Amino acid sequence: RASLHRAPGAMTSMNYISEEQKKKDFQMMLACSTHLGTKNLDATMTRYVWKRKQDGIHIINLGRTYDKLQLAARIIVAVENPADVCVISARPYGQRSILKYCQYTGATPIAGRFTPGTFTNQITNKFMEPRLLLVTDPRTDHQAISESAYANIPTIAFCDTDSPLKHIDVAIPANNKGKHSIGLLYWLLAREVLRLRGTIHRSQPWSVMVDLFFYRDPEEVEAQAKEEAAARDAPMEADVPPPPADWDAPQPATAAEWGGQPAAPTAPAGDWSMPAGGVPAGEWGAAAPDTQWG
């Protein structure tokens, strides 16, 4: 009986998540616009909406989103073989995210078009029988959700305010339209799964940056690769410091730099009889310089 009785405040969270860590996660979700829904609202998603803005955009309750992420992580960890978890994203914004998620958690990704019959038709080349399904968008990945209902596969989905919840077992309310929001959601889910498995410690931050889960435009990737290649091929010029200047040394004459002729002597100050040519004004009998050529 003494073991069951606990003092007030002794109860801790089952996940041992500190308030500081939770605050950082909420700031990241706000920065990635995870709380912004759409102007349309499905009746089944009303419980997850906190408020509606003046422009008609519905705001999602991030507290519900965070709790559902913890619940989804516990369900994923309960699957013995990590490869039995199938992650699907037909939209381009989520394909990089699910590939990174599967890289760190060991799940099986299906990026791109979902082939009909993958879960129901055994004669298909890529037939699989997963034990759990994780979907990025219920509206885009409706074919996989329908087949999972036939095969009795539990389904977890990131649902926006306009997403249908038919055949969805665990709905994680979040913005599944933006590339940053999708990447952050998969990053948070992968981090929580690894923490529950004991791969990484909860008191230490995850060394993987969330930027790796974000969608990248192929044109931007190609331009960045070209810039790196150009910088790598360019010769490296060593920074040679200039020689130290000797201010005491005499400066060389610079009169012959432009015309090649020495500068004519100038008349002393006050002697106006000296012309510019250097011959005194009064000596008319002086011989003129020889001007014959050749």
Side-chain angles (χ1 to χ4, degrees):
R1 182 178 303 177
S3 61
L4 296 178
H5 177 71
R6 296 189 180 184
M11 289 290 292
T12 56
S13 173
M14 188 176 296
N15 285 338
Y16 303 102
I17 301 177
S18 62
E19 292 296 329
E20 183 181 359
Q21 179 64 53
K22 190 178 295 186
K23 182 179 179 180
K24 291 181 180 180
D25 294 342
F26 275 95
Q27 289 177 350
M28 294 176 66
M29 286 192 286
L30 289 173
C32 294
S33 301
T34 307
H35 63 294
L36 297 180
T38 61
K39 293 185 177 181
N40 299 327
L41 177 62
D42 193 89
T44 54
M45 290 293 295
T46 308
R47 70 186 79 172
Y48 302 116
V49 174
W50 175 66
K51 197 176 181 181
R52 187 178 183 181
K53 296 169 62 177
Q54 294 293 335
D55 55 358
I57 300 295
H58 293 86
I59 300 177
I60 299 172
N61 190 344
L62 290 182
R64 298 286 187 90
T65 303
Y66 202 72
D67 294 340
K68 284 300 188 75
L69 280 172
Q70 311 302 321
L71 175 62
R74 295 179 192 176
I75 296 173
I76 294 172
V77 170
V79 179
E80 296 180 3
N81 185 9
D84 287 340
V85 179
C86 184
V87 190
I88 297 177
S89 176
R91 298 179 58 218
Y93 279 4
Q95 293 179 8
R96 178 182 173 90
S97 302
I98 69 169
L99 292 175
K100 289 293 182 180
Y101 172 84
C102 295
Q103 174 186 350
Y104 292 109
T105 61
T108 302
I110 298 181
R113 181 179 180 273
F114 177 80
T115 304
T118 303
F119 297 156
T120 55
N121 192 356
Q122 298 184 3
I123 65 174
T124 56
N125 295 329
K126 296 183 179 180
F127 175 75
M128 58 173 54
E129 293 178 301
R131 294 189 59 189
L132 184 64
L133 189 64
L134 180 58
V135 175
T136 305
D137 189 358
R139 194 175 296 277
T140 308
D141 305 319
H142 63 91
Q143 180 65 31
I145 295 175
S146 300
E147 294 189 11
S148 68
Y150 286 122
N152 292 329
I153 302 173
T155 305
I156 303 172
F158 294 111
C159 300
D160 212 329
T161 56
D162 61 345
S163 299
L165 298 186
K166 187 177 182 181
H167 304 310
I168 301 296
D169 297 291
V170 177
I172 304 176
N175 175 14
N176 59 10
K177 305 293 191 298
K179 57 182 179 181
H180 296 109
S181 177
I182 295 175
L184 176 63
L185 290 170
Y186 276 106
W187 182 81
L188 290 172
L189 189 59
R191 186 190 65 178
E192 187 62 28
V193 168
L194 294 178
R195 284 178 173 177
L196 290 175
R197 288 177 180 171
T199 307
I200 59 177
H201 200 271
R202 189 171 294 278
S203 62
Q204 298 177 354
W206 194 20
S207 59
V208 178
M209 299 295 294
V210 68
D211 300 5
L212 295 176
F213 285 70
F214 291 162
Y215 168 80
R216 297 184 64 187
D217 191 4
E219 296 180 358
E220 296 180 0
V221 176
E222 184 178 357
Q224 183 179 1
K226 289 182 179 179
E227 292 178 0
E228 293 178 355
R232 187 168 52 251
D233 296 340
M236 298 297 294
E237 296 182 358
D239 295 336
V240 180
D246 189 4
W247 300 102
D248 298 332
Q251 297 295 328
T254 58
E257 288 183 0
W258 292 98
Q261 297 293 333
T266 58
D271 189 0
W272 299 99
S273 62
M274 181 67 72
V279 180
E283 297 181 3
W284 296 100
D290 188 8
T291 57
Q292 295 182 0
W293 299 92

